[in-house]
Amino acid sequence: MGYFGGCDVGSTYTKAVILNEKGEIAASTTIKSKIRSEESAKLAMDAVFEEAGLRGPEDLSYLIGTGYGRNKVPFADENISEISCHAMGVHVTAPEVRAVIDIGGQDVKGIAVDTDGTVKSFAMNDKCAAGTGRFFEAMARSFEMELPDFSKLSLKARNVIPITAQCTVFAESEVVSLVGEGKPVEEIAAGIEMAVAKRCFVMAKKAGATDSLALTGGCAKNDGLKAAIEKVLKLKVIELKTDPQLMGALGAAEFARQKGAGR
Amino acid sequence: MDVMKNEKIRKGDASLGVLYDSGKVRRRREWRGFKDTLYDFGQWLKLWGIMINVSLGRGFFKGLFRYRWMVNYLAVPHMIDKFTIGQRDEALRITHTAIGYVVKDVALTIKRCLRADSRSGNDVKFSDRCVLVDENAMTSFLMGFPDLIALQREVPTMFSANLINQDSAVHYIDVAQTFGIPGDVCPMPETEAGISIEDDFVVAGKCAVQVNTTCDGSMMGNGIIAKRLEKQYHIPTFQMAAPLRHRSEDVQTYAAEEIKAAIAFIEEHTGARWNWDAYFAAAKRVNNTTRNRLEWLDINSTPYPQFVGAVFSLYNDTNYMGNCGRSPEFPLIDEKIMKLVRRGYEKKSMLCREYRHRCLVWGVQPQYVIDMLYWMMECWGVVPLTDMLSMVIEREIAEEDTPENREQAYYDMAYLSENMIMRNHTHGGYEVLVDQLWEYCEKMNADMVMMWEHISCKALTAMHGQFEEQARARGIRLVWVSHDLCDPRIYSRQAIRDQFNRYMRTVMREEPVDPSLEVLPDDEAW
Amino acid sequence: MIRILIVTAVVIAVLFALLFCIYFFNLDMKFIVNVVAPLFEKHYDNRKNDQYV
């Protein structure tokens, strides 16, 4: 049986997926990215090889690298941009989705997906950390909390304390001040989620979202953000049955399956 | 659109990436085949002739040591190389004719600036004949003053300096920010403010006219500049405001009154008198320019566009704004260009290896990536048919000297002023910014729009959604490319090109025509 | 006379070759950006300007 690999080397996390000939996930992993992209890619690929019971790259028919460090994926047959891979990953998971917001560690992208999983158009913010995973990490640090706990905090809020500054640096100092004033932490957290959701609004419009969208990237696991996006954008956030953080790697593996089918 | 392949095999260098290295200028000049290389060599010699001629002018060396921006001009040939990349035959000759005259015009401005400057040439009599005007002023209010000189001192100091050296504005931006001007305003007026704060403008002119064009961001810089002009150098300054909603009938009287007031101000301070003969002679030349430009655009609407790229907007900029019909030389250059354009069209000459997309360029283009439009053609086969800055004056003005036309003339000068480069589309509402874009797309048979997104400019921001939705509805490919006008520290050249690369690969799923150009090591280059 | 013509032709040819080399290898720009411009930039940096708003 042939196997096909996708490796998404992100700025914060590196993800890898191996698909079998039928397009089923044979193995997947998510690891924290190292300083050197090659090392991240190698570690992630080693993990999926082990999980799938493969000896190594020689057992893969085709491997595609994607993400910020895609040029550094060892053994990759080809590189494809993460925008295309996220679109394809979502398409194979939920073919009805036409708009995707990918909130990664250091950037945010809005992607319009065509019926065949290709990209119709996209918009991205890669110059500012506001509204990205890095932003949430900074906010969680202000609360002295772990990220998973922080992401659920806002769900308990009865009110929302608006965070006026969208800049990560200014927002962090604003949050520290509000915590110092003794304001309820869940309400501050709700304000943070709302600020990011508003930022996503522009991306959703650019992605041409009309009634629903899918969230991908690490921040898609943030329940508070999902709730805020549904509220602000008045759009339904479609639940993906596969881990949304894996969408880039899954899309890359699917491209690999399409391209390497004849091998 | 269907891909159009150029049947004519290009002579000389095929992969243009070979010209670049990590240095400040190119590794070598382009080999264009024997005939075209020889022509380019001849133009290079001519250019050095112009530069040497400038250096012989009064006050040149004093100015060179006094003004930081002056050193940029030693690298003008490097700028010309950026404008002519990949060009052969008529296209090369059109660009050289147009940019050659632009360079000559800027050289003359530098010569005049230094001659009149109290610190360099200190020719007081000459200085008294000069009226300082903004780089973005449509100098229509000087059309009837044949003996006065419109001294656009910001052109060599800021505008064209940044075309030559991408870092030319950085020092002045830092100076302005040291004095508390925020970092997220438009870097162009901010640079001008920095130049004034540092006292790095030439000091010349009997009086000055400042305008609120191209946008109201320039008013910020104008305030600082006017204060120094008036308080320190005792040069009286007139503020001329063009209406924002320039298509509305009810603002035209106000606009004409502003022109009248500017003329009266100039008469009062220079002692010169308005000359109707000179005005109508200039009006005829402006109309001639308009007719020519519209014909060039008509040819660009066909499958064989000829006069495109940054040189098209720069030539229009110089011809309309700085000249505005006052120089009898421009019609002769227009004529030369016209001959070449018609010849190229008749021969069905193509500008690059293949045409994949017909593209309109909209929004405010960055100064420091002036070669982007040529790069789009060479790297991706995307032909920039025209750009927002070139879509200026569309109707002819009154050119016969009659009593009625003398009154009409004020309205015509106001019309020219209101429709100056950039402002006519960034101000005036969605009709001129959004609706007209689609009209031009239809007329020019464009399937793609490249939207320059100047991140410090608020003028276009409110229209993003409209652009997106309407482009989708019309099936037009819309590529957003962000930049920061003249500050390369925010978006480097490659970061700008990467946005286009990403779109072409991800959405269009195309491979470059010339892969050697996709990533260029020119971020450190001038 | 012929000798003068030959000498003139040789001088022109050498001058042409020299200038063409400068042109083609971009030596004019390389000299300016690597030698002339840094000297001027140093000069400008060392000069005190009357900065005020």
Side-chain angles (χ1 to χ4, degrees), chain B residues 258-454:
Chain B
E258 280 287 284
I259 295 284
K260 275 185 194 169
I263 291 170
F265 171 84
I266 293 166
E267 285 186 330
E268 183 194 337
H269 290 283
T270 62
R273 287 286 159 259
W274 184 257
N275 179 332
W276 283 111
D277 289 341
Y279 170 80
F280 284 108
K284 280 193 178 80
R285 289 192 282 263
V286 168
N287 286 341
N288 183 55
T289 297
T290 302
R291 282 190 295 273
N292 288 334
R293 194 179 54 84
L294 292 176
E295 186 171 339
W296 295 330
L297 285 170
D298 277 346
I299 289 179
N300 287 357
S301 305
T302 70
Y304 299 99
Q306 297 296 320
F307 191 11
V308 304
V311 69
F312 187 50
S313 66
L314 202 58
Y315 182 74
N316 287 321
D317 190 339
T318 314
N319 201 346
Y320 275 114
M321 313 260 286
N323 169 41
C324 214
R326 281 173 298 122
S327 163
E329 281 189 67
F330 265 97
L332 304 175
I333 306 298
D334 273 12
E335 210 174 296
K336 273 190 191 171
I337 295 173
M338 186 60 85
K339 270 186 194 162
L340 289 163
V341 167
R342 284 180 183 154
R343 198 167 75 199
Y345 175 68
E346 280 157 18
K347 283 167 64 182
K348 297 187 173 177
S349 295
M350 287 178 67
L351 305 167
C352 55
R353 275 196 259 175
E354 61 182 65
Y355 295 170
R356 291 178 181 174
H357 301 283
R358 294 171 62 84
C359 179
L360 240 81
V361 180
W362 211 242
V364 186
Q365 68 184 25
Q367 295 285 97
Y368 59 96
V369 203
I370 200 70
D371 46 355
M372 176 84 172
L373 304 190
Y374 306 105
W375 174 86
M376 281 160 55
M377 276 197 288
E378 293 294 332
C379 187
W380 291 102
V382 175
V383 192
L385 304 169
T386 188
D387 59 299
M388 189 176 84
L389 305 189
S390 300
M391 306 311 277
V392 276
I393 315 299
E394 288 180 348
R395 73 162 171 82
E396 294 186 23
I397 58 175
E399 57 177 39
E400 295 303 325
D401 189 357
T402 64
E404 301 80 53
N405 281 352
R406 286 191 179 193
E407 190 51 35
Q408 175 62 33
Y410 294 109
Y411 286 85
D412 286 344
M413 284 183 266
Y415 167 75
L416 293 176
S417 223
E418 288 165 327
N419 284 282
M420 57 77 65
I421 279 169
M422 192 177 114
R423 189 187 177 88
N424 66 330
H425 289 293
T426 57
H427 292 78
Y430 64 88
E431 298 98 330
V432 286
L433 182 62
V434 184
D435 291 356
Q436 275 205 320
L437 170 63
W438 313 126
E439 282 172 30
Y440 294 142
C441 280
E442 202 175 321
K443 196 176 164 203
M444 304 194 80
N445 196 19
D447 64 326
M448 186 182 260
V449 171
M450 200 255 270
M451 284 296 300
W452 283 123
E453 186 179 30
H454 174 202

Side-chain angles (χ1 to χ4, degrees), chain B residues 210-267:
Chain B
Q210 293 193 315
V211 296
N212 63 337
T213 52
T214 56
C215 69
D216 299 308
S218 59
M219 297 302 271
M220 176 271 292
N222 285 356
I224 290 167
I225 296 167
K227 190 181 168 197
R228 189 150 208 160
L229 279 176
E230 293 202 326
K231 303 265 181 202
Q232 190 173 352
Y233 298 116
H234 310 293
I235 297 172
T237 306
F238 180 82
Q239 300 293 334
M240 198 181 90
L244 290 177
R245 288 272 172 182
H246 56 83
R247 290 288 168 107
S248 304
E249 273 304 311
D250 52 356
V251 301
Q252 303 310 326
T253 307
Y254 164 79
E257 290 300 325
E258 280 287 284
I259 295 284
K260 275 185 194 169
I263 291 170
F265 171 84
I266 293 166
E267 285 186 330

Side-chain angles (χ1 to χ4, degrees), chain B residues 25-29 37-38 40-41 44 48 64-68 71 74-75 77-78 175 179 197-200 227-228 232 526, chain C residues 15-16 19-30 32-34 36-37 40-41 43-47 49-53:
Chain B
V25 291
R26 295 201 181 148
R27 192 194 299 269
R28 64 166 171 81
R29 288 202 163 87
T37 305
L38 208 61
D40 194 58
F41 174 58
W44 174 78
W48 272 107
L64 180 62
F65 281 92
R66 172 61 183 80
Y67 299 112
R68 178 183 290 270
V71 75
L74 299 175
H78 172 64
V175 169
F179 278 76
I197 291 168
E198 178 140 296
D199 201 16
D200 236 10
K227 190 181 168 197
R228 189 150 208 160
Q232 190 173 352
W526 268 35
Chain C
L15 198 65
F16 178 87
L19 285 172
F20 189 82
C21 283
I22 294 173
Y23 156 81
F24 190 71
F25 295 106
N26 211 9
L27 300 178
D28 54 335
M29 291 299 96
K30 285 175 184 166
I32 283 167
V33 298
N34 293 320
V36 181
F40 272 100
E41 273 153 23
H43 162 74
Y44 300 135
D45 287 342
N46 289 335
R47 195 167 42 82
N49 277 31
D50 171 27
Q51 293 187 342
Y52 96 166
V53 175

Side-chain angles (χ1 to χ4, degrees), chain A residues 30 151-152 215 217-224 226 243-246:
Chain A
T30 302
S151 73
K152 290 188 171 57
L215 288 178
C219 296
K221 295 176 181 175
N222 182 330
D223 295 330
K226 263 194 281 187
D243 179 355
Q245 199 171 4
L246 286 176

